[in-house]
Amino acid sequence: MVANDTIVALATAPGESAVAVTRLSGPDAISIASARFHGRISPADSASHRILFGSFLGDDGSPLDSVLLSVFRSPRSYTGEDVVEISSHGGTAIPRAIVEALVRAGARAARPGEFTERAFRNGKLDLAQAESVAALIRARSERSLRAVMSALGGSLSRRVAAVDSELVGLLAEVEARIDFPADVGEAIDGVELGRRCSRIAGSVREWVARIPGSRRMQEGVRAALVGRANVGKSSLLNALVGYDRAIVDESPGTTRDTVEESIWIEGVELRIADTAGLRAGLGRVEGLGVERSARAARDCDLAVLVLDRSDGVGDADREAASWVEDRPVVVAWNKADLRVGIAPRPRAPVSSELVVGEVETIAVRPGGAEPLLGALRSALPRVLCEHVGEEVATTSVRQDRLFAEALAALERAETGFSADLSYDLIAVDLADARR
């Protein structure tokens, strides 16, 4: 495998479609495309950033498909190399035949992500932007798309560069006191250096605090409907998604496995899981379903504890509540139409500090789940840590880990300044934070 050979791959997803795009990149991209293209102008004679209409030729020289061919000459291309993009009809057979023909003409099948790798290697993208390309493709909601597009535009890299610039100045001051102690004045003493370190650490600390919300914004907020059997969890799921996603029956224990569906609120994906309900006398299969329910509840970002407004709070309700005792909870008192007179609502079996909403619903009536939808909308800011700045959203687990490591190094340096440790030790921690 040669680093500067010419690569080819389908740039659009395989399968049925009106159009498919095949991309070539490398020093021979234009000549290889020219050998397989017949039109009024050859790609070899075309200026950059031009679209040519013609036929893509098979091995025997006969037209395989009518195509539009785009020429991007180096360095004004995505990868920084000569790039050709061929827009053909979609489907399976034609795009595959085009790729295979280009391979026979001298190109090599690209590895996953190799076009973006070359863009990074040729200075068209920095590493944060390159990672944002994959996140952009995976984006599942409008807000995650905006966040990733911001990172792809370089906002994440600019923020990192700004913090790094502050660190360079601080590290220079510390190293000057190591190498030239007699020449350094006392205009900036150790206390002031410690304050500067704390300001930088505070900025990164705030950044790290945003990571969980940023990750949820990109991957979706996981919500779980939990409660005892026959309180209407499946009916609420159906009402929220707008169709009969889960089977509903009067007999308890109908749901025996988790059923997940997504809705979008304020541009954020909410991945809602309906879970098996708790009740006495569980059979083996239903018991396995309840185990999965407990797991879904422990893994969720936001819990919806569904209780029966027409009945009291029992042991099964309290056990279900124990699954979600350490995360935000929306309490949904379902079957509100069956409550007796104006009987006061019982106290929900969950800490009031965790409750981010408490509503009454009638899942089987049109619009009966609207109060729950409103409560979920109001709860999202807390789940997302609403101070998340979309302009500095991270786009990979690698970035999250590095920010955490940088913060740990800065906190060690903070401690070093506070304890009046040797500048040699502090310099090591500041260098670790920079790296």
Side-chain angles (χ1 to χ4, degrees), residues 206-216 388 394 399-400 403-404:
E206 180 185 355
W207 205 336
V208 170
R210 295 171 175 174
I211 286 175
S214 172
R215 189 64 52 220
R216 290 170 189 146
V388 167
T394 56
Q399 293 171 5
D400 297 348
F403 280 126

Side-chain angles (χ1 to χ4, degrees), residues 306-343:
V306 185
L307 302 170
D308 190 337
R309 181 65 175 87
S310 66
D311 200 357
V313 175
D315 292 339
D317 296 307
R318 283 185 279 271
E319 183 176 350
S322 69
W323 294 343
V324 294
E325 58 188 6
D326 59 349
R327 69 207 63 235
V329 179
V330 172
V331 179
W333 292 92
N334 196 35
K335 305 184 182 181
D337 55 325
L338 302 181
R339 65 181 182 270
V340 180
I342 56 173

Side-chain angles (χ1 to χ4, degrees), residues 6-10 22-25 98-99 102-103 107-110 115:
T6 299
I7 57 175
V8 62
L10 195 61
T22 302
R23 178 183 288 164
L24 278 161
S25 180
I98 289 175
V99 170
L102 293 171
V103 168
R108 169 178 63 79
F115 290 101

Side-chain angles (χ1 to χ4, degrees), residues 132-188:
S132 298
V133 173
L136 181 67
I137 294 169
R138 294 193 302 267
R140 293 171 58 88
S141 69
E142 181 184 342
R143 280 191 67 175
S144 66
L145 182 62
R146 290 202 305 267
V148 174
M149 281 299 294
S150 178
L152 183 57
S155 62
L156 181 62
S157 302
R158 288 191 294 272
R159 180 69 181 271
V160 170
V163 175
D164 183 56
S165 178
E166 294 182 64
L167 267 173
V168 168
L170 179 59
L171 184 57
E173 291 281 359
V174 171
E175 289 179 339
R177 283 157 175 74
I178 298 171
D179 297 332
F180 311 105
D183 301 327
V184 177
E186 292 301 319
I188 302 177

Side-chain angles (χ1 to χ4, degrees), residues 182-391:
D183 301 327
V184 177
E186 292 301 319
I188 302 177
D189 59 15
V191 175
E192 175 57 26
L193 292 176
R195 290 196 192 100
R196 285 171 59 178
C197 181
S198 295
R199 282 196 297 271
I200 298 171
S203 176
V204 178
R205 190 176 293 112
E206 180 185 355
W207 205 336
V208 170
R210 295 171 175 174
I211 286 175
S214 172
R215 189 64 52 220
R216 290 170 189 146
M217 187 167 59
Q218 293 175 46
E219 299 176 357
V221 174
R222 295 170 298 177
L225 297 163
V226 299
R228 60 181 165 93
N230 212 29
V231 293
K233 297 185 297 298
S234 297
S235 296
L236 280 173
L237 175 68
N238 292 342
L240 288 171
V241 302
Y243 73 101
D244 290 340
R245 176 66 177 86
I247 297 173
V248 175
D249 192 81
E250 293 181 358
S251 58
T254 304
T255 301
R256 297 192 174 190
D257 201 350
T258 54
V259 178
E260 185 174 305
E261 191 56 271
S262 291
I263 62 173
W264 278 260
I265 300 176
E266 305 290 346
V268 176
E269 182 185 16
L270 192 64
R271 297 159 51 190
I272 307 174
D274 178 27
T275 64
L278 279 163
R279 68 187 182 99
L282 294 175
R284 187 179 69 86
V285 175
E286 202 173 338
L288 292 173
V290 169
E291 289 178 11
R292 293 192 177 190
S293 298
R295 192 181 315 130
R298 287 192 294 268
D299 292 341
C300 73
D301 304 308
L302 173 65
V304 180
L305 178 62
V306 185
L307 302 170
D308 190 337
R309 181 65 175 87
S310 66
D311 200 357
V313 175
D315 292 339
D317 296 307
R318 283 185 279 271
E319 183 176 350
S322 69
W323 294 343
V324 294
E325 58 188 6
D326 59 349
R327 69 207 63 235
V329 179
V330 172
V331 179
W333 292 92
N334 196 35
K335 305 184 182 181
D337 55 325
L338 302 181
R339 65 181 182 270
V340 180
I342 56 173
R345 193 164 62 198
R347 183 182 179 280
V350 63
S351 170
S352 59
E353 296 178 356
L354 298 174
V355 176
V356 292
E358 190 167 5
V359 294
E360 293 190 356
T361 60
I362 308 173
V364 296
R365 287 188 184 175
E370 286 299 320
L372 175 57
L373 190 61
L376 293 172
R377 181 179 291 106
S378 299
L380 278 180
R382 176 167 172 179
V383 178
L384 289 173
C385 313
E386 191 54 45
H387 59 288
V388 167
E390 293 184 14
E391 74 282 359

Side-chain angles (χ1 to χ4, degrees), residues 72-90:
F72 304 93
R73 293 186 180 273
S74 172
R76 297 168 56 213
S77 70
Y78 175 69
T79 63
E81 305 171 327
D82 285 343
V83 170
V84 172
E85 292 185 352
I86 301 169
S87 300
S88 66
H89 289 93

